[in-house]
Amino acid sequence: GQGVEQPAKLMSVEGTFARVNCTYSTSGFNGLSWYQQREGQAPVFLSYVVLDGLKDSGHFSTFLSRSNGYSYLLLTELQIKDSASYLCAVRTPGTQVVGQLTFGRGTRLQVYA
Amino acid sequence: DMKVTQMPRYLIKRMGENVLLECGQDMSHETMYWYRQDPGLGLQLIYISYDVDSNSEGDIPKGYRVSRKKREHFSLILDSAKTNQTSVYFCASSLYGTGVGNTLYFGEGSRLIVV
């Protein structure tokens, strides 16, 4: 079956870093996306990866290992405003729903001063 | 300005009443979506629309129907709302389908309470 798993919570200190993990087990793989969702707000796109390795985008970096069904979102130089939920979504080559996205439950990151 | 707009933002309905949630986008995106999000659960796809009058069921379509008569508008209808449909509903759009690298733009959500 389709499964995207993320830890529910993560805490880190301002100025340091946080790594948000995502593991997936899906029928096929056409890429993985990360979204940020602040409390009471809409999810906002952060990053998309489809090839193995680390994609450095400054404050946010994304790693993917397709053979292990694993990705992480790395936030560096954390700020209090980075406190939010981070959603992992895997795109599969769907049949009924073309290219369907399967979302994880999200990881709530709390950054402390 | 790229924007997905949802109306209403907050709604309280009695069980058995009909509910209409409306969504508009100003980006001429072909594909639009309705998701629901519940505490501790991920976003669950209710329906996807590939263009006008071209709609497909998602993972949890039971109890819902949709309407897309114009590319920029996508409506979610609950005929005879149930208490387990209390949730936050998100509309989203993307330029093409959910193709490689395609980004979803989400609305701010519609919080529905069914009592």
Side-chain angles (χ1 to χ4, degrees), chain A residues 6-26:
Chain A
Q6 300 181 243
K9 295 181 181 179
L10 181 63
M11 295 185 292
S12 196
V13 178
E14 185 181 23
T16 66
F17 69 94
R19 190 177 77 187
V20 184
N21 294 321
C22 173
T23 57
Y24 63 90
S25 173
T26 57

Side-chain angles (χ1 to χ4, degrees), chain B residues 34-97:
Chain B
W34 276 106
Y35 288 89
R36 66 176 282 177
Q37 186 176 43
D38 300 293
L41 298 180
L43 288 160
Q44 297 175 274
L45 181 65
I46 306 171
Y47 268 93
I48 184 172
S49 174
Y50 298 105
D51 211 328
V52 171
D53 285 330
S54 180
N55 308 317
S56 289
E57 295 180 345
D59 295 322
I60 53 165
K62 187 178 180 181
Y64 304 94
R65 61 184 175 94
V66 292
S67 175
R68 191 161 179 210
K69 297 302 182 184
K70 293 182 179 180
R71 178 172 282 191
E72 61 269 23
H73 290 134
F74 190 34
S75 300
L76 180 68
I77 302 117
L78 288 67
D79 294 315
S80 187
K82 300 174 180 54
T83 55
N84 64 7
Q85 292 177 308
T86 292
S87 187
V88 180
Y89 291 86
F90 284 99
C91 175
S93 72
S94 62
L95 181 57
Y96 301 114

Side-chain angles (χ1 to χ4, degrees), chain A residues 8 10 18 27 32 35 38 42 48 52 57 62 64 96-97 101 106:
Chain A
L10 181 63
S27 302
L32 185 148
Y35 287 79
R38 300 185 188 283
Y48 173 83
D52 288 347
S57 302
T62 314
L64 176 67
Q96 181 179 1
V97 180
L101 274 177

Side-chain angles (χ1 to χ4, degrees), chain B residues 10-33:
Chain B
Y10 304 93
L11 189 61
I12 300 176
K13 284 287 193 178
R14 295 187 184 277
M15 195 167 56
E17 290 185 328
N18 297 334
V19 178
L20 173 64
L21 301 180
E22 304 204 77
C23 175
Q25 48 98 359
D26 60 2
M27 298 169 277
S28 297
H29 284 175
E30 290 184 354
T31 307
M32 297 185 74
Y33 315 74

